[in-house]
Amino acid sequence: MNKIFFNSQQQLRNGWWVLVFVAILVVSQQLYKPTKNWLASLGASTTQLEPLALLFLLLVSWCCLLLRRQHFSDLGLQLNKTWWQQLLLGTGAGVLMMLLIAALMWSCATVSFSLNPKFQASDLIYGAYLLLIAAALEELLYRGFVFQRLLDGIGIWPTQLLFATVFALGHWDNPGLTGSAKVVASLDLALASLLFGLAYLKTRSLALPLGLHFGWNWAQGYLLGFQVSGYEHNGWLLPQLQAQPDWLTGGHFGAEASVFALLVDCLALWLLWRWRGTATTAKAPAFASSPAQAL
């Protein structure tokens, strides 16, 4: 019976820690809506309430870390100088990736651009606020506690492939995900998940994947004016999609549903794979030598 719950080092198995996280998350969801309604009744605006879901997820993660006698730095939230540098590096890389996708689309006559007369400079700041919160929420959920426990339990590639599948399926109900765009977007979302996961593995920090995720979305929505995963944003530019198939233009899901996004993601994955990274210690083996024991 002891072996069911504990490994050979008498540590609670990673599979049980995943269940602990899920249990605390379920409990937190029962408190989230009443808390949100209470704050709204006090006069909090929708914009002010945007970080609430992220704060709840941070609280759930903190509870799990506390039970494991760990700190936020063990989760990849060191918040030191190197962390902020990696965040900026990732943001810049994410922006460049999306600009490259747009340039490829424009050069192949699948899109044209004009200035958006309704755009205001404040939209860039507001967009950064919204999308940074959204990216942080998704990275904490998809590359945070559960991802890291499974890395220790079943190894890198099983975990990466599992989360790539979950990440893609998690967007299937988004607007604009139809026809050929659904196929390409699902592949791109899976590749993006692999990219963000690899960014974590190379740094053992959430800063680089968070920056990549945020920079990609922000440039796509608030610089280039595309939909971001199917949702409209008031961008600096107005893209005009040409009469081409959705797998070339991305359709109403956004440029990330274009085949050009797949090419850029593959290039980024190759470059990141070649990069030595900054992680000094390997906290998870490439493959657990005994998955049943590690899990």
Side-chain angles (χ1 to χ4, degrees):
M1 180 65 71
N2 185 63
K3 292 182 179 180
I4 296 177
F5 294 97
F6 301 96
N7 59 23
S8 58
Q9 288 77 42
Q10 291 303 302
Q11 298 170 331
L12 187 66
R13 294 183 183 277
N14 287 292
W16 292 111
W17 280 117
V18 172
L19 291 179
V20 168
F21 178 90
V22 172
I24 298 175
L25 182 65
V26 170
V27 171
S28 75
Q29 293 306 295
Q30 306 308 309
L31 301 174
Y32 172 74
K33 190 172 182 180
T35 303
K36 185 176 181 180
N37 291 338
W38 174 67
L39 291 173
S41 70
L42 295 178
S45 66
T46 302
T47 300
Q48 291 172 328
L49 290 173
E50 286 290 341
L52 188 61
L54 175 60
L55 292 175
F56 264 75
L57 187 55
L58 281 168
L59 180 61
V60 171
S61 301
W62 176 74
C63 288
C64 293
L65 292 170
L66 200 63
L67 291 172
R68 285 177 55 86
R69 299 179 182 179
Q70 291 181 306
H71 305 283
F72 271 122
S73 58
D74 297 306
L75 192 66
L77 294 172
Q78 296 90 341
L79 303 186
N80 54 21
K81 181 180 178 180
T82 300
W83 195 93
W84 291 107
Q85 288 174 341
Q86 290 179 353
L87 179 66
L88 290 175
L89 174 64
T91 299
V95 170
L96 286 175
M97 287 172 65
M98 186 51 62
L99 292 179
L100 178 56
I101 293 168
L104 290 171
M105 292 174 65
W106 175 80
S107 66
C108 294
T110 62
V111 67
S112 61
F113 293 97
S114 60
L115 291 175
N116 181 2
K118 297 181 180 180
F119 175 80
Q120 298 179 355
S122 59
D123 291 329
L124 291 177
I125 300 174
Y126 179 68
Y129 168 75
L130 290 180
L131 294 181
L132 185 57
I133 292 172
L137 180 66
E138 289 197 343
E139 287 310 302
L140 193 60
L141 185 62
Y142 289 104
R143 250 67 60 185
F145 186 83
V146 173
F147 178 82
Q148 293 166 28
R149 296 282 58 76
L150 289 179
L151 283 177
D152 287 343
I154 61 177
I156 289 177
W157 286 112
T159 301
Q160 278 276 65
L161 293 174
L162 173 62
F163 273 83
T165 303
V166 172
F167 190 66
L169 291 177
H171 291 76
W172 265 30
D173 290 333
N174 285 33
L177 203 59
T178 58
S180 61
K182 187 167 189 174
V183 176
V184 177
S186 296
L187 289 172
D188 181 70
L189 288 164
L191 285 175
S193 180
L194 294 175
L195 178 67
F196 301 150
L198 183 58
Y200 168 79
L201 291 165
K202 288 287 186 175
T203 60
R204 295 293 169 175
S205 169
L206 291 176
L208 187 60
L210 172 56
L212 285 166
H213 197 154
F214 164 64
W216 171 284
N217 285 345
W218 183 72
Q220 184 174 204
Y222 285 93
L223 285 182
L224 299 170
F226 290 105
Q227 290 94 335
V228 178
S229 297
Y231 294 99
E232 297 278 354
H233 297 279
N234 192 41
W236 177 45
L237 299 177
L238 277 176
Q240 300 293 324
L241 303 183
Q242 305 303 306
Q244 301 282 355
D246 285 352
W247 60 270
L248 281 174
T249 66
H252 296 293
F253 189 77
E256 59 196 335
S258 164
V259 69
F260 299 106
L262 297 180
L263 297 175
V264 171
D265 269 345
C266 287
L267 174 62
L269 271 168
W270 180 77
L271 291 173
L272 192 57
W273 181 268
R274 300 273 297 177
W275 180 45
R276 173 179 288 183
T278 61
T280 54
T281 58
K283 297 182 181 179
F287 289 95
S289 57
S290 177
Q293 181 181 12
L295 188 62

